Amino acid sequence: SQQGEEDPQALSIQEGENATMNCSYKTSINNLQWYRQNSGRGLVHLILIRSNEREKHSGRLRVTLDTSKKSSSLLITASRAADTASYFCAAASQETSGSRLTFGEGTQLTVNP
Amino acid sequence: DAEITQSPRHKITETGRQVTLACHQTWNHNNMFWYRQDLGHGLRLIHYSYGVQDTNKGEVSDGYSVSRSNTEDLPLTLESAASSQTSVYFCASSPGYIYGYTFGSGTRLTVV
């Protein structure tokens, strides 16, 4: 079963607006990551937030993490048409020699010019 | 520049045939992963490796196998292809659990 579950499944906004995507996960994590996927392409890593962090920023991206609620959110500010893509959260479980990521089903973001 | 490459990009095969998908990375990452992506299921982990000679099963490993004889390569083999294995396959690598993954561009496999 999927560890991460995104909400909403699809989001359509106008250029310049903010986009917020939410993610819930089920078990204890080492960190939570967000990825972007353009149509027909591989996933691209956007940002990683560790379990002891509550908020992290990177450019127009802001990620929050609430481990008590097992949830995270990704905010994209001042969206652009080029932000149109699918966004996935991925929960990282800690193992002795590495970490597997369990992905959610993604949020399809459409930014209209 | 370091990269991770998958080949072929597209493949059509017949039911029952053995198929091998290649994944090659020049990042010198110890950790490598294979996922499949299907509508309605997101990405699901097939197999993964944390180093040479190490392989582990993921959540959807039935009908698939991998081997890791060097750091750079993690080929994925479908022992006897089935129509249910029609999917897009992604390979990824990572230096460790506090880092993100680097993904390949994917292989679209169709089993007819």
Side-chain angles (χ1 to χ4, degrees):
Chain A
S1 62
Q2 292 293 316
Q3 171 82 298
E5 296 182 1
E6 287 92 344
D7 169 55
Q9 289 187 319
L11 180 61
S12 181
I13 60 174
Q14 296 299 122
E15 213 165 22
E17 294 180 339
N18 295 341
T20 299
M21 289 159 268
N22 302 298
C23 168
S24 61
Y25 58 92
K26 297 175 182 175
T27 62
S28 296
I29 60 171
N30 176 276
N31 63 71
L32 190 129
Q33 303 177 25
W34 286 89
Y35 289 79
R36 164 195 172 123
Q37 183 181 34
N38 288 83
S39 181
R41 307 293 294 274
L43 280 75
V44 174
H45 179 255
L46 294 176
I47 194 166
L48 179 154
I49 186 166
R50 302 184 187 191
S51 59
N52 61 352
E53 297 177 310
R54 293 296 167 259
E55 187 172 313
K56 198 163 185 178
H57 296 254
S58 177
R60 293 185 296 113
L61 304 180
R62 172 178 169 252
V63 171
T64 62
L65 179 65
D66 186 335
T67 53
S68 67
K69 295 181 179 178
K70 290 185 167 56
S71 67
S72 174
S73 68
L74 172 68
L75 169 67
I76 304 174
T77 60
S79 63
R80 307 165 181 167
D83 294 328
T84 294
S86 292
Y87 292 81
F88 294 87
C89 71
S93 62
Q94 183 177 357
E95 297 179 359
T96 54
S97 58
S99 179
R100 297 178 292 168
L101 288 181
T102 306
F103 287 83
E105 295 181 21
T107 292
Q108 173 62 51
L109 173 66
T110 302
V111 181
N112 301 299
Chain B
D1 288 348
E3 59 182 0
I4 178 167
T5 56
Q6 293 185 235
S7 61
R9 288 298 312 273
H10 302 272
K11 185 167 182 67
I12 300 174
T13 191
E14 295 178 343
T15 302
R17 289 193 178 268
Q18 184 180 79
V19 177
T20 296
L21 308 183
C23 176
H24 179 80
Q25 54 99 2
T26 57
W27 290 98
N28 199 35
H29 289 166
N30 284 326
N31 302 342
M32 296 184 72
F33 309 85
W34 273 104
Y35 288 84
R36 60 177 288 175
Q37 184 175 34
D38 305 284
L39 282 174
H41 290 281
L43 280 84
R44 291 181 291 175
L45 183 62
I46 305 171
H47 281 286
Y48 59 102
S49 168
Y50 289 150
V52 176
Q53 303 300 332
D54 176 75
T55 61
N56 306 280
K57 294 181 179 180
E59 61 178 306
V60 290
S61 60
D62 287 349
Y64 303 94
S65 63
V66 293
S67 61
R68 186 90 180 269
S69 59
N70 58 53
T71 300
E72 296 80 18
D73 299 288
L74 187 70
L76 177 70
T77 298
L78 286 69
E79 305 293 345
S80 176
S83 58
S84 60
Q85 294 176 310
T86 292
S87 185
V88 180
Y89 291 85
F90 286 101
C91 178
S93 70
S94 170
Y97 68 91
I98 61 170
Y99 301 94
Y101 286 12
T102 301
F103 278 83
S105 298
T107 294
R108 182 175 295 277
L109 177 68
T110 303
V111 182
V112 298

